[in-house]
Amino acid sequence: MSNSVDILLVEDNPGDVRLTEEAFKDGRLANNLHVVTDGIEALDFLYQRGEYEDAPRPDLVLLDLNLPRKNGDEVLEDLKDDTELASIPVIVLTSSKAEEDIVTSYQLHANAYLTKPVDPDEFVDVVQSFERFWLEIVCLPPEEA
């Protein structure tokens, strides 16, 4: 993997965006965190449409489930049904602990499901743990995969 990692964060809560940016800023790896706030924007980014025509292909996606316009399950389903994009790891990062949401996410081929802690410090710890695992330990597929 290159020295820099492109991460697409699909999150409509400004507080969670800020905490995620803070956690990655303190991380050990260089990364480019791209933020979109709803499911339609996420797909536009992934398909490089409209204002995102020059967007990089993300190395991984952090996806909230509760999104305006198009929810996280719909985004996940569209992404994993597309042979060009299906190899991009998608990590669901949501406040839902509902068993139904967990099962559905994995049925739609999410690569992991993380529940957002309410405490800001714990939230930062979860994001940094995610970063260590997904960006330092796991081998991600090359863009051509």
Side-chain angles (χ1 to χ4, degrees), residues 20-137:
T20 304
E21 288 172 337
E22 181 181 309
F24 278 119
K25 195 181 303 177
D26 294 339
R28 291 184 258 171
L29 291 178
N31 63 67
N32 300 307
L33 186 64
H34 308 275
V35 180
V36 296
T37 57
D38 68 49
I40 299 292
E41 276 188 277
L43 293 173
D44 286 348
F45 188 99
L46 290 161
Y47 286 107
Q48 299 174 313
R49 298 185 294 225
E51 68 180 283
Y52 301 106
E53 68 181 334
D54 294 326
R57 174 189 166 104
D59 295 297
L60 53 89
V61 175
L62 275 174
L63 179 66
D64 188 21
L65 293 181
N66 303 310
L67 298 168
R69 301 202 301 157
K70 190 169 190 118
N71 72 37
D73 287 342
E74 294 169 318
V75 172
L76 181 58
E77 185 172 21
D78 288 353
L79 192 143
K80 293 301 184 175
D81 281 347
D82 186 305
T83 56
E84 296 287 316
L85 301 174
S87 65
I88 298 172
V90 178
I91 293 80
V92 173
L93 180 61
T94 189
S95 56
S96 174
K97 294 180 182 180
E99 188 174 306
E100 178 181 336
D101 288 340
I102 297 168
V103 169
T104 299
S105 292
Y106 283 115
Q107 286 173 338
L108 293 172
H109 306 288
N111 297 84
Y113 190 102
L114 301 174
T115 303
K116 298 176 194 172
V118 176
D119 178 84
D121 291 332
E122 289 178 24
F123 185 97
V124 169
D125 288 344
V126 164
V127 172
Q128 289 177 340
S129 295
F130 151 84
E131 180 184 31
R132 278 190 301 278
F133 179 74
W134 282 99
L135 304 181
E136 294 178 19
I137 297 171

